[in-house]
Amino acid sequence: MQFRSLFNKVFGKEKEYKDVTALKLLNGYTNAYTPFSGNAYDDATVRDCIDTIARHFGKMRPKHVIKDNGKIIKTVDDRLNYLLGSYPNELMTASEFLEKVIAQYYTYNNAFIYIKWDMAIEKIEALYPLDFPLLEILEDRENNLYARFTFGGGERTVVPYSSIIHIRRHFNRDEIFGDDNSRIMIEDLSTLKAAKASIVNAVKSFTALRGYLRWLTTMRPEDMKKAHDDFVNTYTTNNPSGVASTDNKVEFHELSTKVTTFNSQQMNYVRDNIYKHFGINENIIMGKYTEDEYIAFYESILEPVAIKLAQEMTDKIFTRRERGFGNEIILESNRLNFMSVASKIKICETLIPTGGLTINEIREIFGYAGIEGGDERLISLNFVKAKDQSLYQTGTDDNSLKGGEDDGKNGNKNGTTGASQ
């Protein structure tokens, strides 16, 4: 699919908003936002960190649900759920959409998603992550906020801030935007760059001049070159002994080249500073994590961002009245996928007897496809509701009886009916 102008495809015909001016914040007119252009994303270590988080976050499943008293009572089967779970827009899948949002979130400490509405039916048409060099926050006379984007091609547009899903990281000093990485990342990036440069220089030093021949007699240039080439081919190209010999016509003078490089401990220190900035470690990046390490990664990195994004999407997508009826966006992930087989078995052994899992849910845990009729729940007869325990044990609905007591009617000292356990 080709578009003559992607800008027109995303934003359509630009609307005019009259009497909009720069928003004055509490600390002055600092309403402009420029993403950090320190090329942090171009560093391999930084990109590995961001890509690792984005890839794992891409496994999240956004859903439109209805909750009652904090419990999900229904997953809504509508176009919004299709957009969230399959194709938020015509350019990317749901997984790619989440990866792009998280990549921008960790690169710039801000991520912006434009909600394109179909005003004829008041439904969402698409969701677009936005990347731009300049954003300005404006306001009108009624104190409504607007975002004016300037894109790399020179196009500009103004959209209501209520149509922008905006999540922030390091949200501290600024009143609208997350603090950028320019101050805290530049030192570590410079040190890492110097460390990598020292290794490159060490490699290059192997091809540098390591000595010279001083001729003690006068020779023609062509004879000097031939004697030089013979010496190099004999004693430097293939010389396992490392020993050379010369006659009284020439002297060999060695040049010492000492190159200082970072040792492994120093390199690890520099890399760890970058890893700590993103809250991950080398095992997570290399995919060598243990079950406990991944749980810690999920709970400390993925889950907080998922909650933040879900809350912002809920607020911007639904009206206050719709939220009052329980409409909500959630991002869920099957945390059992990264558990060991032994842990999965323990979970099943715990939940199956109480009817906590269906057959298909059990199959999904172990990576198998669902089967017909697999949505039924299995339950053990060894369990009974607490309020029905007397009926189950004695045949009478009297919960006042305690263990070891007998009402004298059953002829059983322990007060049980002999029901199969």
Side-chain angles (χ1 to χ4, degrees):
M1 186 180 295
Q2 297 181 346
F3 305 121
R4 296 184 59 186
S5 174
L6 185 58
F7 177 83
N8 293 333
K9 175 66 179 177
V10 174
F11 296 101
K13 186 177 180 181
E14 185 175 359
K15 298 180 181 179
E16 293 186 6
Y17 297 97
K18 299 180 179 180
D19 298 327
V20 292
T21 58
L23 174 67
K24 182 178 181 180
L25 303 177
L26 295 178
N27 295 323
Y29 285 99
T30 56
N31 67 316
Y33 165 74
T34 302
F36 172 47
S37 58
N39 297 325
Y41 192 68
D42 293 334
D43 180 84
T45 303
V46 172
R47 184 172 296 195
D48 288 342
C49 294
I50 295 175
D51 179 66
T52 298
I53 300 173
R55 282 188 289 107
H56 286 282
F57 197 90
K59 296 186 288 187
M60 291 282 187
R61 296 191 295 268
K63 286 185 178 181
H64 172 203
V65 300
I66 295 179
K67 287 187 176 182
D68 185 20
N69 293 325
K71 299 180 180 179
I72 298 176
I73 61 174
K74 181 181 180 182
T75 298
V76 184
D77 184 13
D78 59 358
R79 173 171 171 75
L80 176 59
N81 240 338
Y82 173 78
L83 287 174
L84 295 173
S86 299
Y87 286 89
N89 59 68
E90 64 279 7
L91 301 177
M92 59 192 72
T93 64
S95 179
E96 292 169 337
F97 170 83
L98 292 177
E99 288 183 15
K100 186 175 180 66
V101 170
I102 296 304
Q104 293 181 340
Y105 175 75
Y106 277 97
T107 301
Y108 307 125
N109 288 342
N110 290 272
F112 300 87
I113 304 170
Y114 172 61
I115 306 174
K116 184 177 182 181
W117 293 93
D118 186 340
M119 300 310 297
I121 58 176
E122 296 185 350
K123 299 293 183 181
I124 294 179
E125 186 175 336
L127 298 169
Y128 294 96
L130 299 180
D131 195 10
F132 51 85
L134 178 63
L135 166 63
E136 301 163 276
I137 299 297
L138 312 174
E139 66 174 344
D140 61 15
R141 294 181 181 272
E142 285 73 34
N143 297 323
N144 297 312
L145 298 184
Y146 299 85
R148 179 164 62 196
F149 294 96
T150 301
F151 296 96
E155 298 94 343
R156 300 178 71 185
T157 188
V158 177
V159 298
Y161 187 73
S162 59
S163 293
I164 299 295
I165 297 170
H166 179 197
I167 57 174
R168 300 159 281 203
R169 182 171 178 250
H170 296 166
F171 185 35
N172 182 22
R173 289 176 294 193
D174 199 284
E175 295 164 60
I176 295 180
F177 308 110
D179 290 349
D180 64 37
N181 292 320
S182 57
R183 295 183 180 179
I184 61 173
M185 288 284 289
I186 192 67
E187 182 177 346
D188 289 330
L189 287 174
S190 298
T191 305
L192 185 61
K193 184 177 180 180
K196 294 178 179 179
S198 70
I199 296 176
V200 174
N201 291 334
V203 174
K204 289 182 178 179
S205 69
F206 287 107
T207 60
L209 183 65
R210 295 191 294 274
Y212 65 92
L213 298 174
R214 181 174 180 271
W215 302 101
L216 303 178
T217 61
T218 302
M219 299 179 64
R220 293 184 302 174
E222 55 271 24
D223 293 337
M224 185 182 299
K225 184 178 186 308
K226 182 178 182 305
H228 167 271
D229 292 343
D230 290 342
F231 183 88
V232 171
N233 293 331
T234 303
Y235 297 115
T236 63
T237 304
N238 185 18
N239 182 21
S241 67
V243 178
S245 62
T246 61
D247 57 17
N248 59 0
K249 296 179 182 179
V250 63
E251 291 180 351
F252 176 76
H253 294 267
E254 181 184 3
L255 294 176
S256 61
T257 55
K258 184 178 181 181
V259 179
T260 303
T261 63
F262 282 67
N263 57 42
S264 59
Q265 185 176 3
Q266 291 170 324
M267 285 294 296
N268 290 336
Y269 171 78
V270 175
R271 280 198 300 264
D272 286 345
N273 279 346
I274 302 294
Y275 294 158
K276 290 176 183 177
H277 178 76
F278 294 99
I280 58 180
N281 58 39
E282 186 176 4
N283 287 345
I284 296 295
I285 293 177
M286 299 297 294
K288 301 185 297 182
Y289 46 79
T290 64
E291 182 178 324
D292 290 337
E293 284 177 330
Y294 194 90
I295 291 175
F297 169 62
Y298 179 90
E299 293 181 348
S300 62
I301 302 298
L302 301 182
E303 191 175 41
V305 183
I307 293 173
K308 184 183 300 186
L309 181 57
Q311 290 176 343
E312 176 69 357
M313 294 178 79
T314 298
D315 182 66
K316 295 297 178 65
I317 290 176
F318 301 115
T319 64
R320 181 177 298 181
R321 184 172 184 272
E322 289 172 332
R323 295 196 300 271
F325 281 102
N327 288 277
E328 188 173 325
I329 302 297
I330 63 171
L331 278 84
E332 64 178 13
S333 175
N334 188 352
R335 297 173 61 181
L336 299 177
N337 288 337
F338 54 79
M339 289 185 175
S340 64
V341 175
S343 296
K344 293 178 181 180
I345 292 175
K346 290 180 181 179
I347 289 176
C348 291
E349 289 176 344
T350 302
L351 295 180
I352 290 175
T354 60
L357 293 173
T358 65
I359 297 176
N360 282 341
E361 287 172 339
I362 298 170
R363 293 177 63 85
E364 182 183 359
I365 289 175
F366 292 95
Y368 298 108
I371 60 175
E372 185 177 352
D375 292 328
E376 294 185 7
R377 297 183 181 275
L378 303 177
I379 189 169
S380 171
L381 292 179
N382 292 326
F383 295 89
V384 65
K385 293 182 180 179
K387 64 180 181 179
D388 296 334
Q389 58 182 318
S390 290
L391 183 62
Y392 177 73
Q393 289 181 325
T394 67
T396 61
D397 189 11
D398 184 3
N399 287 324
S400 63
L401 295 177
K402 299 180 181 179
E405 295 182 353
D406 184 16
D407 60 359
K409 296 181 181 180
N410 296 294
N412 191 314
K413 184 176 181 180
N414 294 319
T416 59
T417 62
S420 174
Q421 298 296 315

